[in-house]
């Protein structure tokens, strides 16, 4: 195999690994919103419609990644079910804390996700067009989730200042772990 073909094969492998982790992450996001919706009906009923809309977007994002993985003949990430379990637990816990915690969780998760998506697009540009298309298809909705949730939080509150770094660290850890599996 020549050097160009080897470089292209490595890029496709990286693209597939990224897509697997993104697919699992979307499942985790669906689980977060499911847990939050469950509890928000009691703690923050005014957010339920928004959370349901976000969850539908995440379902569509998961399907985009699933379709591209299927096209490549790749299985889902080994961390898929862990992302779901962790996401649901995070959703229920932050849901119990109420409206601000629910929205702060979305802000923290989406901030990390957007940073990773932008990095992924830069890494794969020019080497894995199909992965770039799949990733690019979700960026604007993820940004909209971040921006809309940010309108519901007081970023000077103690809850926000404690919760956001914890959720960000957990999100970073899950992404890191998924890329290593």
């Amino acid at each position: 195999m020549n050097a160009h073909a080897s470089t292209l094969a490595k890029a496709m492998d990286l693209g597939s690994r990224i897509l697997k982790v993104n697919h699992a992450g979307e499942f985790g996001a669906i689980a977060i919103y499911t847990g939050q919706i469950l509890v928000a009906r009691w703690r923050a009923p005014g957010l339920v419609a928004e959370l349901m809309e976000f969850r539908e977007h995440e379902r569509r994002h998961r399907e985009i990644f699933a379709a591209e993985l299927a096209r490549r003949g790749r299985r889902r990430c080994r961390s898929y079910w862990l992302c779901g379990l962790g996401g649901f637990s995070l959703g229920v816990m932050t849901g119990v804390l109420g409206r601000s915690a629910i929205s702060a969780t979305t802000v923290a998760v989406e901030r990390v996700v957007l940073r990773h998506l932008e990095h992924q697009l830069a890494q794969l540009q020019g080497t894995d067009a199909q992965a770039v298309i799949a990733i690019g298809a979700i960026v604007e909705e993820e940004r909209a989730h971040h921006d809309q949730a940010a309108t519901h939080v007081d970023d000077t509150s103690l809850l926000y200042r404690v919760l956001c770094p914890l959720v960000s660290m957990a999100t970073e850890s899950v992404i890191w772990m998924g890329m290593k599996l």
Side-chain angles (χ1 to χ4, degrees):
M1 183 182 322
N2 67 34
H4 178 71
S6 176
T7 301
L8 195 55
K10 286 180 184 175
M12 290 296 287
D13 184 53
L14 174 63
S16 293
R17 280 195 350 249
I18 286 171
L19 292 168
K20 288 171 103 172
V21 171
N22 289 0
H23 177 251
E26 296 300 333
F27 183 59
I30 292 164
I32 290 170
Y33 289 128
T34 298
Q36 288 178 334
I37 290 165
L38 181 71
V39 180
R41 294 180 194 286
W42 160 59
R43 294 286 293 141
L47 282 181
V48 171
E50 179 178 297
L51 295 170
M52 291 176 81
E53 178 184 0
F54 289 177
R55 183 175 64 182
E56 284 309 307
H57 294 165
E58 303 298 355
R59 285 179 174 155
R60 188 169 55 252
H61 301 168
R62 181 184 60 184
E63 293 311 310
I64 290 168
F65 294 131
E68 182 56 23
L69 288 171
R71 189 188 73 76
R72 293 169 183 243
R74 300 294 181 114
R75 298 180 54 163
R76 67 176 169 230
C77 186
R78 286 183 266 185
S79 68
Y80 186 84
W81 293 110
L82 183 61
C83 287
L85 179 62
F88 185 77
S89 299
L90 179 63
V92 169
M93 287 187 290
T94 57
V96 167
L97 295 173
R99 180 181 180 90
S100 292
I102 291 169
S103 295
T105 299
T106 299
V107 169
V109 169
E110 297 296 8
R111 185 177 297 140
V112 170
V113 167
L114 285 165
R115 188 172 56 249
H116 278 277
L117 293 175
E118 289 164 5
H119 179 72
Q120 291 167 1
L121 289 169
Q123 276 185 297
L124 298 171
Q125 194 66 45
T127 60
D128 191 336
Q130 293 306 112
V132 168
I133 289 168
I135 294 165
I138 73 163
V139 171
E140 288 310 310
E141 281 184 336
E142 300 291 11
R143 190 177 326 282
H145 297 173
H146 171 277
D147 294 350
Q148 192 168 336
T151 67
H152 305 307
V153 296
D154 172 7
D155 60 4
T156 63
S157 75
L158 179 61
L159 177 66
Y160 182 85
R161 291 191 333 251
V162 170
L163 188 60
C164 274
L166 291 173
V167 172
S168 294
M169 184 174 60
T171 306
E172 289 282 1
S173 297
V174 168
I175 293 169
W176 178 84
M177 183 181 64
M179 288 300 290
K180 298 298 179 191
L181 291 177

